[in-house]
Amino acid sequence: MRVSWVTDDKRAPSVVEYGRASRNYTATATGDHTSYRYFLYSSGKIHHVKIGPLEPGAVYYYRCGMAGEEFSLRTPPAALPIELALVGDLGQTEWTASTLAHAGKTDYDMLLVPGDLAYADAQQPLWDSFGRFVQRHASRRPWMVTQGNHEVEAAPLPPVPGAPPPFAAYGARWPAPHAESGSPSNLYYSFDAAGGAVHVVMLGSYAPFGAGSDQHRWLARDLAGVDRRATPWVVALLHAPWYNTNAAHQGEGEAMRGAMERLLFDARVDVIFAGHVHAYERFPVTPPDHRHC
């Protein structure tokens, strides 16, 4: 598992101490750190440390930077059943707090977020307040996320010299295990859960996705490598929904659907979760070759 945190102290070490008993840290891991600038804003020191190997379904206690508060986390189980909670379009409001509290009552194993985290929208201090806002939840269970439109934070046009690239804050603060899944980009990746019984694909609605794109080629390779005899569940997440009867965001996922839906059908993906539209809907979808006017 990767532990990430931010410090104002630029001398703070990127070290996590951890163990199976409170205040009894039997292992130490050293990671790396980064920072970024967004016009006049300079981030703190952003630490990322990978700890493990860890036992599945176990509680670990840990401390960041060799000082301060102790946290605890529970690792996911090594086999089914596993409980995956899913929350899209989080923000940092009273509704966010009530939603996360509601999810927390289920004692889930892992939280999946199909985009739109902090709603910073170029106001970089909101990324810092978001981290503090979700800390009590994100420190206890693994959070696996993909990007939404509010993570893009593209510089205004025309381009300004020295302007930050899109996803500058998201990439620095929320690194995904993309290299481990053969993905060339932090914006799309996959991982296994429950000892490989569940394969989760995190797609990028705001990364190039057309035929011939890096994401399209990666998705084809990734799905082709799944052995459905060993992996009965394949789940995909993306931000902009491909099907939507709500008045908001109509058609925004259509181009991606046209480019990628066939790959997911051919791989017999079980369920796709999306965010973006702030309403709950679910659809049983007929394969493209069986649709009729």
Side-chain angles (χ1 to χ4, degrees), residues 2 34 49 140 148 177 209 247:
R2 179 184 286 118
T34 188
V49 177
R140 297 174 57 246
F209 48 70

Side-chain angles (χ1 to χ4, degrees), residues 101-131:
H102 175 70
K105 293 177 182 178
T106 67
D107 199 33
Y108 60 85
D109 295 304
M110 182 184 298
L111 187 78
L112 308 178
V113 184
D116 282 1
L117 304 174
Y119 281 73
D121 295 324
Q123 300 180 63
Q124 295 306 299
L126 290 178
W127 279 107
D128 297 311
S129 60
F130 178 75

Side-chain angles (χ1 to χ4, degrees), residues 104-265:
K105 293 177 182 178
T106 67
D107 199 33
Y108 60 85
D109 295 304
M110 182 184 298
L111 187 78
L112 308 178
V113 184
D116 282 1
L117 304 174
Y119 281 73
D121 295 324
Q123 300 180 63
Q124 295 306 299
L126 290 178
W127 279 107
D128 297 311
S129 60
F130 178 75
R132 293 188 291 270
F133 193 93
V134 303
Q135 176 176 282
R136 62 178 297 219
H137 301 281
S139 61
R140 297 174 57 246
R141 297 289 186 274
W143 280 33
M144 305 301 287
V145 308
T146 188
Q147 91 282 172
N149 55 300
H150 290 280
E151 277 71 67
V152 179
E153 297 186 305
L157 294 175
V160 178
F167 304 105
Y170 175 74
R173 296 173 184 268
W174 291 85
H178 65 90
E180 290 89 333
S181 63
S183 167
S185 171
N186 192 56
L187 301 179
Y188 47 90
Y189 63 99
S190 67
F191 64 94
D192 291 332
V198 182
H199 186 68
V200 182
V201 180
M202 309 292 268
L203 297 175
S205 292
Y206 304 96
F209 48 70
S213 68
D214 286 344
Q215 181 173 194
H216 194 279
R217 288 193 295 266
W218 167 81
L219 178 60
R221 292 194 306 269
D222 183 79
L223 293 175
V226 178
D227 180 356
R228 296 307 298 267
R229 294 168 298 181
T231 306
W233 290 96
V234 179
V235 176
L237 274 75
L238 50 90
H239 188 63
W242 295 352
Y243 296 92
N244 166 32
T245 67
N246 200 280
H249 303 303
Q250 275 294 324
E252 291 184 20
E254 181 60 21
M256 190 180 191
R257 185 197 67 78
M260 290 187 158
E261 186 179 44
R262 169 49 65 189
L263 291 176
L264 300 184
F265 268 120

